[in-house]
Amino acid sequence: MSSAATVEALNKTPYRYGFVTDIETEKISRGLDESVVRLISSKKQEPDFMRQFRLKAYAQWQTMAEPDWAALKYPSIDYQDIVYYSAPRQKEQKASLEDVDPVLLETFDKLGIPLSEQKRLSNVAVDAVFDSVSIATTYKQKLAEHGVVFCSMGEAVKDHPELVERYLGSVVPIGDNFFAALNSAVFSDGSFVYIPKGVQCPMELSTYFRINSDDAGQFERTLIIAEEGASVSYLEGCTAPMFDTNQLHAAVVELVALDDASIKYSTVQNWYAGDENGKGGIYNFVTKRGLCKGRRSRISWTQVETGSAITWKYPGCVLRGQDSVGEFYSVALTNHYQQADTGTKMVHIGPGSRSTIISKGISSGHSVNSYRGLVNMGPQARGARNFSQCDSMLIGDQATANTHPYIQSRQPEATVEHEASTCHISEDQLFYLQSRGIEPEAAVSMLVSGFCRDVFNQLPMEFAAEADKLLALKLEGSVG
Amino acid sequence: MTSTETTPFREAPIQPGDLLLSIENLHACVEENEILRGVSLQIRAGEIHALMGRNGSGKSTLSKVVAGHPAYTVTAGSIHYRGQDLLGLAPEDRARSGVFLGFQYPVEIPGVSNLEFLRVSCNARRQHRGQEELDTFAFEDHVRETMAIVQMDPAFLERSVNEGFSGGEKKRNEVLQMALLEPLVAILDETDSGLDIDALRIVANGVKKLALPTTATLLITHYQRLLDAITPDFVHVMAAGRILRTGDKDLAMALEQRGYDWIEEADGSDTLQP
Ligand SMILES: Nc1ncnc2c1ncn2[C@@H]1O[C@H](COP(=O)(O)OP(=O)(O)OP(=O)(O)O)[C@@H](O)[C@H]1O
Ligand SMILES: [Mg+2]
């Protein structure tokens, strides 16, 4: 098979999570104004500080415009045509998993995320979020024994209002950007994690986001706080049904690490990417930021981005603590007409802070895949160091890869190193594998996963194999 | 494609002397340049052939055309493998059905584990032969045993395919692949180049062990020392895309002594210059 034919075959990608769950939902009508913000807040029976937070955000959002600097093209989004609150109808208070609607449990079973007691993933606690509402959190009891709080954001607002009030919006201010402001006004749910001083979280924590509805926007909010000397590894996964319309997903994630704390945040994003003609798919506009507040604190972002019609996402670190460490490891794979504009922001404030950026972009089909990264060395960041490596791989001759590194330094004693490369999938490597009996599709996915190895090595063990499989699946053709 | 056969298929037994590879008047070009200009070659089970010739005479091109490299276009002639039209098969199917090429310049594949690569490759061939595929554990035992043939350190399994391997280490890795795939026709393109004196002996012994009465080997080489270790039944001399002369091991000796000029002169080389 010629390499052109191989690429042709690769472009026929199946999406295995495209089903819709038939469940009764509570939805409010389309559109957004102040009364909608108040309605969401009252539906969630929120305390006053939360309502004020939302209203302030809404007021800010109204004065802002959608950012237009990313290398993304899409028809303008009608914010009045979106449903801002949609929740599966369930019993009021879910005392235990047994009270969760079996249809929902079945949905997560089908997604490979069993929530029921007997089948749970061992040593991984899961918060399952369905259309932006948390429906179940596993292993809560066991985590509580260690003082770890892992619950939905809604519960956190009720049970730990002081923590939420103190930290929510402290890393991503409500007016940070258009999408963050929107999220701050209307967010429905998400996950909350609190690791007390000196505690190493005894298991992986993970949130699984599932979009089900075709007209509701998805606005989750995640907040993770690691106290002094605490550590946690957290993973999020995402899927959505195949609709031929686009759904807006605008999440905000905030991480706070105090002295000697470490947070490892991994994402395997597989939102529906649209069909081979670019119809449908998720618009993913996400703000993720970690604050290395304490000395020697460490925040590490690892992302494997394979889905969404549009990805706009720059998980970053504000390295305020002296000798704090920020890391960003990313694989972004785009195919068909997908567009990804993704990268990171490393803001060095503290002296001796260090950051590492490893980005691997793979573009196939007619897709556009851009890396956009900012490294900022503040005036106090003496001895700070950054190393960035951005590699792009092109499959076929219709895809585009861009790299936009921005470096700003106001500290002469800070070091910034940047390396970048772009390559085509090599005909000789492909031939070498084929000449050893390996099918072209398998050979391409082997080459791609080799290209991404440095990033996969950063994923928690259980998920590295998953990520490998996901890439293979995304590249799988229908010939054979 | 033959690769998805569901019914186990066993390779029909081969008798020594069976015609395995038959190349007839093969012409091939790359980007408009004709490199092969009418190659004919017959290789039977149990035979060892040596292919020699000046740099640039077309030896590697011939081997890559047999393996199915997409950069080369066959403009005339044919290749039959066990009576079947080989040119109609995809490269991976040629490999699965028992044609092997040990590359002159094996490529490096960063990030791909050598162990995993060897396992997937070995299983592709096993599946074709109707043999059970080996899981990670079974394969690891198998590959360690096989590595002994070329006295290769198992540490090479943990590394990326050929990445940072020395020239000689790459060549040993090629022979390891040959040993794992158990081909019926093996073409080894300058597998002896870049090997130190001990490594040459080890690799030559390995190749000799793998050359059975039911398989055939084509050694592409510039040096007599390989042919001292593995005695060829036939020696071919290639020039300007054709096989100019065929002889036995004495022809290789003569080349070692006298170089190529006398053959080309004797055969009227002026008409063969590109
Ligand atoms: N892509 C290409 N474009 C143009 N010429 C090519 C290309 N590939 C090979 N050739 C030419 O074809 C001729 C034969 O090359 P080949 O590699 O087959 O030689 P060889 O006999 O294996 O030589 P050596 O003994 O040096 O390995 C050479 O002149 C080479 O430059
Ligand atoms: Mg050669």
Side-chain angles (χ1 to χ4, degrees):
Chain A
M1 185 190 285
S2 72
S3 39
T6 307
V7 170
E8 191 52 39
L10 292 176
N11 288 345
K12 295 184 182 134
T13 311
Y15 185 71
R16 298 194 180 163
Y17 308 102
F19 62 92
V20 185
T21 304
D22 189 9
I23 189 163
E24 201 188 324
T25 52
E26 181 192 359
K27 273 186 192 176
I28 62 176
S29 44
R30 285 161 202 264
L32 182 59
D33 59 19
E34 196 183 302
S35 73
V36 168
V37 176
R38 286 181 188 278
L39 182 62
I40 294 170
S41 188
S42 74
K43 278 199 178 295
K44 303 182 74 68
Q45 299 167 333
E46 289 176 345
D48 190 52
F49 82 85
M50 212 48 256
R51 186 163 45 248
Q52 295 310 324
F53 181 93
R54 290 178 183 276
L55 290 171
K56 226 170 102 187
Y58 177 68
Q60 284 239 20
W61 179 70
Q62 281 189 298
T63 68
M64 300 173 86
E66 221 174 275
D68 60 359
W69 41 260
L72 300 171
K73 283 202 190 85
Y74 56 96
S76 68
I77 299 168
D78 181 355
Y79 291 91
Q80 297 307 330
D81 196 35
I82 292 171
V83 172
Y84 287 86
Y85 185 85
S86 161
R89 230 185 257 287
Q90 301 200 76
K91 276 182 222 149
E92 268 308 293
Q93 203 61 35
K94 35 166 198 181
S96 73
L97 276 171
E98 278 57 53
D99 297 332
V100 174
D101 190 325
V103 176
L104 290 175
L105 293 181
E106 212 175 280
T107 300
F108 281 90
D109 258 356
K110 253 165 101 175
L111 296 169
I113 315 289
L115 301 173
S116 52
E117 302 280 342
Q118 321 84 333
K119 290 187 276 181
R120 281 178 188 185
L121 302 169
S122 61
N123 217 43
V124 180
V126 180
D127 184 24
V129 177
F130 186 89
D131 271 355
S132 293
V133 173
S134 169
I135 56 149
T137 310
T138 64
Y139 289 115
K140 265 175 126 159
Q141 212 44 50
K142 187 170 171 197
L143 290 165
E145 286 163 23
H146 293 80
V148 171
V149 180
F150 181 36
C151 63
S152 72
M153 191 55 107
E155 288 168 280
V157 170
K158 287 199 183 71
D159 302 340
H160 306 278
E162 66 301 335
L163 286 172
V164 174
E165 187 168 7
R166 180 154 166 213
Y167 288 109
L168 195 73
S170 72
V171 186
V172 178
I174 50 176
D176 185 81
N177 68 70
F178 181 84
F179 296 106
L182 178 61
N183 174 285
S184 301
V186 303
F187 75 86
S188 32
D189 212 342
S191 303
F192 175 83
V193 176
Y194 176 78
I195 317 286
K197 192 166 167 177
V199 172
Q200 322 291 305
C201 187
M203 55 176 71
E204 291 282 337
L205 303 185
S206 98
T207 298
Y208 194 89
F209 294 104
R210 172 69 179 171
I211 289 178
N212 192 60
S213 158
D214 68 341
D215 56 358
Q218 310 295 322
F219 309 96
E220 332 82 41
R221 186 96 195 183
T222 300
L223 176 59
I224 300 179
I225 302 154
E227 290 277 11
E228 282 170 35
S231 74
V232 62
S233 169
Y234 179 94
L235 182 118
E236 62 170 5
C238 344
T239 59
M242 304 200 273
F243 293 119
D244 56 13
T245 52
N246 301 100
Q247 290 77 45
L248 175 64
H249 174 256
V252 171
V253 176
E254 295 176 282
L255 315 180
V256 181
L258 302 184
D259 285 359
D260 297 298
S262 97
I263 301 174
K264 184 176 173 61
Y265 193 107
S266 315
T267 303
V268 176
Q269 189 259 109
N270 187 20
W271 294 123
Y272 178 52
D275 69 9
E276 64 269 27
N277 300 312
K279 201 165 171 51
I282 303 292
Y283 287 175
N284 193 31
F285 293 91
V286 173
T287 306
K288 291 182 169 180
R289 196 170 304 149
L291 173 62
C292 283
K293 196 169 183 181
R295 292 169 171 240
R296 297 170 301 276
S297 55
R298 181 185 203 106
I299 289 179
S300 174
W301 297 102
T302 304
Q303 61 172 22
V304 178
E305 302 282 317
T306 64
S308 296
I310 288 180
T311 301
W312 179 98
K313 184 181 169 192
Y314 316 90
C317 299
V318 177
L319 300 160
R320 184 180 299 161
Q322 186 171 338
D323 298 321
S324 57
V325 177
E327 294 170 320
F328 175 74
Y329 300 103
S330 169
V331 165
L333 173 90
T334 54
N335 198 353
H336 306 309
Y337 288 89
Q338 277 179 277
Q339 305 175 60
D341 195 292
T342 183
T344 185
K345 250 185 190 177
M346 292 290 176
V347 179
H348 291 252
I349 299 172
S353 51
R354 302 193 304 279
S355 64
T356 304
I357 298 170
I358 309 274
S359 160
K360 307 277 178 178
I362 302 110
S363 350
S364 180
H366 294 81
S367 68
V368 181
N369 197 329
S370 308
Y371 168 82
R372 191 180 302 278
L374 169 72
V375 176
N376 180 302
M377 296 292 181
Q380 307 301 316
R382 273 183 316 281
R385 288 202 307 274
N386 162 265
F387 172 74
S388 305
Q389 186 184 327
C390 303
D391 299 322
S392 308
M393 181 186 261
L394 293 164
I395 302 177
D397 52 9
Q398 307 287 317
T400 310
N402 305 308
T403 304
H404 309 281
Y406 303 94
I407 297 165
Q408 303 166 348
S409 183
R410 284 180 291 161
Q411 168 52 254
E413 285 172 54
T415 326
V416 180
E417 264 182 272
H418 180 89
E419 288 174 10
S421 74
T422 301
C423 62
H424 255 274
I425 203 151
S426 136
E427 186 174 68
D428 281 327
Q429 288 180 340
L430 199 56
F431 178 64
Y432 190 74
L433 296 179
Q434 282 181 263
S435 77
R436 296 306 182 243
I438 301 171
E439 291 274 347
E441 294 97 277
V444 167
S445 76
M446 214 180 227
L447 292 175
V448 168
S449 89
F451 176 71
C452 301
R453 184 63 43 210
D454 296 345
V455 173
F456 287 170
N457 285 344
Q458 300 296 329
L459 285 172
M461 265 273 271
E462 306 84 316
F463 299 109
E466 284 303 307
D468 235 353
K469 268 191 255 162
L470 179 60
L471 280 204
L473 187 68
K474 282 278 165 179
L475 291 167
E476 194 174 274
S478 49
V479 269
Chain B
M1 267 181 232
T2 57
S3 47
T4 49
E5 278 163 351
T6 45
T7 44
F9 158 87
R10 287 187 190 283
E11 276 163 6
I14 290 172
Q15 304 300 323
D18 282 358
L19 184 59
L20 290 182
L21 192 69
S22 169
I23 302 174
E24 296 282 354
N25 187 34
L26 188 69
H27 289 252
C29 53
V30 57
E31 292 163 7
E32 320 280 289
N33 307 311
E34 182 165 67
I35 314 281
L36 300 184
R37 304 169 172 206
V39 177
S40 297
L41 184 62
Q42 313 274 311
I43 299 182
R44 292 175 184 278
E47 294 175 351
I48 294 176
H49 293 240
L51 180 61
M52 308 184 77
R54 287 184 196 279
N55 295 134
S57 55
K59 305 180 296 296
S60 295
T61 302
L62 176 64
S63 71
K64 285 194 252 181
V65 169
V66 172
H69 196 292
Y72 302 90
T73 314
V74 172
T75 49
S78 66
I79 307 179
H80 285 85
Y81 169 64
R82 305 187 64 191
Q84 192 187 3
D85 173 22
L86 190 69
L87 296 172
L89 290 183
E92 63 274 17
D93 293 324
R94 300 185 193 191
R96 288 169 179 218
S97 56
V99 176
F100 178 85
L101 168 59
F103 287 85
Q104 182 175 5
Y105 303 110
V107 296
E108 302 192 359
I109 309 182
V112 175
S113 129
N114 203 26
L115 177 65
E116 185 57 14
F117 158 68
L118 294 171
R119 190 175 74 85
V120 172
S121 164
C122 179
N123 278 337
R125 170 95 173 110
R126 289 178 70 89
Q127 187 202 25
H128 180 86
R129 300 165 91 188
Q131 292 171 323
E132 202 188 331
E133 293 187 34
L134 300 174
D135 65 22
T136 322
F137 299 106
F139 180 74
E140 205 159 333
D141 292 343
H142 177 54
V143 74
R144 277 166 190 270
E145 264 169 49
T146 312
M147 283 176 113
I149 296 178
V150 281
Q151 296 185 17
M152 214 172 143
D153 187 331
F156 285 100
L157 296 174
E158 307 306 320
R159 294 175 52 178
S160 294
V161 179
N162 295 326
E163 194 186 28
F165 286 26
S166 75
E169 288 162 354
K170 284 180 184 163
K171 296 301 173 70
R172 283 199 208 198
N173 207 30
E174 293 294 291
V175 180
L176 172 62
Q177 290 168 47
M178 171 181 167
L180 289 170
L181 295 180
E182 301 178 48
L184 302 180
V185 172
I187 304 175
L188 297 174
D189 192 357
E190 298 201 27
T191 301
D192 55 334
S193 298
L195 293 177
D196 67 44
I197 297 160
D198 291 334
L200 179 73
R201 188 173 35 78
I202 292 160
V203 164
N205 284 335
V207 171
K208 226 153 71 179
K209 224 178 273 173
L210 297 170
L212 307 173
T214 51
T215 69
T217 314
L218 177 63
L219 302 169
I220 298 177
T221 182
H222 289 295
Y223 305 108
Q224 179 58 35
R225 45 178 199 175
L226 177 70
L227 305 179
D228 287 340
I230 311 173
T231 313
D233 302 296
F234 300 93
V235 173
H236 311 277
V237 177
M238 197 156 181
R242 255 175 248 179
I243 288 177
L244 209 52
R245 185 175 293 197
T246 294
D248 61 10
K249 61 182 183 354
D250 296 336
L251 175 58
M253 307 266 220
L255 292 171
E256 180 88 351
Q257 309 263 308
R258 303 173 59 186
Y260 291 108
D261 284 350
W262 61 281
I263 297 189
E264 291 178 3
E265 276 155 25
D267 290 87
S269 69
D270 50 351
T271 58
L272 291 170
Q273 288 305 319

